[in-house]
Amino acid sequence: MSTLAAIIKRAAEAAGFDLAGIAPAADAPELQHFPAWIAAGHADEMEYMKARDDQGELKRSSLSRVAPWARSVVVCAINYNTGHPYSTHMPDPNRGWISRYAWSREDYHDVVLRRLKEVEAALHQAVWGGHSCPPTLTTRCYVDTGPIVERVFAKYAGVGWIGKNTCIINQKKGSWLFLGVILTSLELAPDVSASNAPAPDRCGTCTRCIAACPTDAIVAPYQLDSNKCISYLTIEKRGSIPEDLRAGMGRHVFGCDICQDVCPWNRKAPVTTAPEFEPRPGLVKPVLAWLAEMSAEEFREAFRRSPIRRARRDGLRRNAAIAMGNSGNPEFLPLLEKLTDDEDESVAESARWARARLQKDG
Ligand code: B12
Ligand code: SF4
Ligand code: SF4
């Protein structure tokens, strides 16, 4: 291991990351699947995923298009699992499900970026410290939002394998991991090389995630169609959600954890030591009526510095209406009746659908 690589890993550990590794900036074979994924329409309305360069090539299909100066990618991962039950255990029909990753007191983008910056600073210090004429060094930190398929680089940094549910899974830590990347112009010793293979795919013959996905969003192993994914539908999708997918959404109101909850590699997943990921009060299995009736002021207050803001208030209320329709609980009928007149059409229309579903159930 080169000295710089060792310094980076020590800095990542000191910053609170559970795992860190270095991948070459080169195009890995998995990136070849990206254009086909876009061409199949699996990104739906996530336009940023479809961004192209001046030559008309998809930016995310190669780092050389967006950061030709990059030689290595430092990938850091942090465990966000807290010791709360999985979404596969939610018997109370009055409550919904917010994804594990979104319970946190602080938005994970900020939590991970802050730590990445510490690692970046240590790298700069190691390269520049003591030089009167500093050598050239370019770095860039991304958490989620950069034009890079992070999981592919995580695999080649030795963080884990890409599971059939498309998540990065580490044999010891499971998949409740956030990723953050630092692109660097330095040629660093990679964790995966000709003599050191990436973590083997330990999915084996298992297909639990594919079988458990209620909307059949994992259309084939390692291929997820966002159009059908509850995570996409509840967080990113604006306006009405296609009717044929609503029943499968169950009581999910923000994100979805099912394909990770059923994964055997998460059965004994360790719990995070990062205090920022401790849940805010009320977010683990939230009361559906609370979400559906939330005022703009309450929404702002409850979700300040939370990733849940991304769904917007009307999106969250739309999701809560659908969840009430899927609850089998006729006590929601008066509230749904009220929502059928909501000023937001997607909320009103979802409430009408939910009311009809509950009446049919009854
Ligand atoms: C867009 C996006 C989404 C979309 C699309 C998800 C998807 N699977 O593509 C939606 C909104 C649905 C989503 C959901 C979630 N997301 Co998201 N998302 C992203 C984002 C911004 C881009 C992902 C991307 O490039 N997708 C394009 C596809 C093609 O890439 P991919 O799924 O990674 O697929 C590669 C491999 O599967 C590979 N491949 C490997 N072997 C094989 C074999 C074959 C035969 C084939 C065909 C392909 C193949 O090909 C692809 C690369 O070309 C990343 C951040 C980033 N910049 O990377 C976060 C990211 C992937 N998301 C993350 C998280 C936490 C989630 C959720 C858990 C949130 C939630 N609870 O609701 C779910 C998980 C759903 C799931 N099973 O993936 C984490 C994942 C961490 C991890 N442990 O893997 C990331 C890395 C964010 C972060 N910085 O931590 N997400
Ligand atoms: S996150 Fe939920 S809906 Fe999306 S693929 Fe996984 S199980 Fe299916
Ligand atoms: S549930 Fe099974 S197939 Fe799916 S990611 Fe986990 S180990 Fe792989």
Side-chain angles (χ1 to χ4, degrees):
M1 195 189 314
S2 84
T3 317
L4 271 181
I7 289 170
I8 289 169
K9 286 177 191 176
R10 273 202 303 275
E13 200 185 336
F17 285 109
D18 294 274
L19 300 159
I22 294 159
D27 298 345
E30 285 78 1
L31 285 174
Q32 288 166 14
H33 300 299
F34 184 75
W37 189 80
I38 294 290
H42 290 338
D44 196 28
E45 290 163 13
M46 293 184 285
E47 298 306 323
Y48 62 94
M49 297 294 294
K50 306 170 197 167
R52 291 180 186 268
D53 66 9
D54 294 343
Q55 277 73 50
E57 301 294 339
L58 287 162
K59 287 187 175 176
R60 286 174 190 249
S61 61
S62 172
L63 256 193
S64 63
R65 299 191 215 293
V66 287
W69 48 267
R71 293 290 167 271
S72 311
V73 181
V74 178
V75 183
C76 299
I78 188 164
N79 174 2
Y80 64 86
N81 183 35
T82 49
H84 293 272
Y86 284 180
S87 63
T88 31
H89 302 285
M90 40 186 292
D92 183 350
N94 294 312
R95 291 174 181 271
W97 188 258
I98 288 177
S99 258
R100 187 163 291 270
Y101 88 91
W103 298 340
S104 56
R105 292 176 188 273
E106 218 183 316
D107 191 318
Y108 77 88
H109 296 95
D110 299 335
V111 176
V112 181
L113 190 62
R114 191 165 56 232
R115 286 171 159 82
L116 269 187
K117 291 277 178 195
E118 286 178 35
V119 181
E120 185 188 39
L123 175 60
H124 282 235
Q125 172 63 27
V127 173
W128 284 341
H131 284 83
S132 52
C133 176
T136 316
L137 166 62
T138 309
T139 54
R140 202 170 292 162
C141 297
Y142 290 122
V143 182
D144 220 6
T145 48
I148 166 168
V149 187
E150 291 171 357
R151 298 197 268 208
V152 171
F153 290 90
K155 171 176 174 178
Y156 287 91
V159 170
W161 75 94
I162 298 175
K164 289 179 190 170
N165 62 7
T166 78
C167 292
I168 277 286
I169 308 173
N170 177 275
Q171 193 178 355
K172 293 202 177 112
K173 310 268 179 193
S175 68
W176 306 117
L177 298 168
F178 289 129
L179 303 177
V181 296
I182 308 175
L183 312 190
T184 151
S185 55
L186 292 173
E187 202 86 54
L188 298 165
D191 282 76
V192 169
S193 61
S195 57
N196 201 8
D201 182 337
R202 295 184 190 276
C203 286
T205 56
C206 175
T207 50
R208 277 168 201 241
C209 51
I210 300 172
C213 175
T215 48
D216 297 327
I218 307 173
V219 290
Y222 316 100
Q223 292 185 58
L224 183 146
D225 182 356
S226 304
N227 293 275
K228 296 181 174 178
C229 178
I230 297 166
S231 178
Y232 172 76
L233 296 171
T234 54
I235 302 172
E236 306 284 336
K237 179 94 180 153
R238 305 287 173 240
S240 281
I241 289 174
E243 258 191 71
D244 59 328
L245 297 170
R246 293 182 194 174
M249 284 168 57
R251 283 179 277 129
H252 285 77
V253 291
F254 186 90
C256 172
D257 292 331
I258 294 173
C259 58
Q260 295 185 88
D261 283 346
V262 300
C263 180
W265 295 99
N266 282 338
R267 217 176 272 148
K268 291 183 185 155
V271 164
T272 184
T273 52
E276 299 97 320
F277 297 137
E278 281 309 316
R280 296 176 188 219
L283 296 198
V284 180
K285 302 184 188 171
V287 172
L288 289 172
W290 170 59
L291 298 175
E293 294 195 287
M294 200 167 249
S295 69
E297 183 52 36
E298 257 183 296
F299 181 84
R300 260 196 308 277
E301 198 51 45
F303 301 122
R304 185 166 288 142
R305 302 175 79 201
S306 158
I308 296 177
R309 276 174 316 167
R310 186 157 179 92
R312 302 178 189 172
R313 171 176 165 254
D314 290 336
L316 199 60
R317 294 190 312 122
R318 170 202 65 186
N319 300 343
I322 292 173
M324 288 191 282
N326 289 332
S327 70
N329 182 3
E331 286 173 16
F332 281 133
L333 280 169
L335 173 52
L336 285 169
E337 191 61 50
K338 208 165 102 192
L339 291 174
T340 57
D341 287 331
D342 197 85
E343 59 189 14
D344 182 86
E345 183 43 34
S346 73
V347 174
E349 182 272 322
S350 302
R352 286 194 287 276
W353 174 88
R355 181 185 58 185
R357 182 163 162 81
L358 282 182
Q359 282 165 341
K360 204 166 111 219
D361 286 353

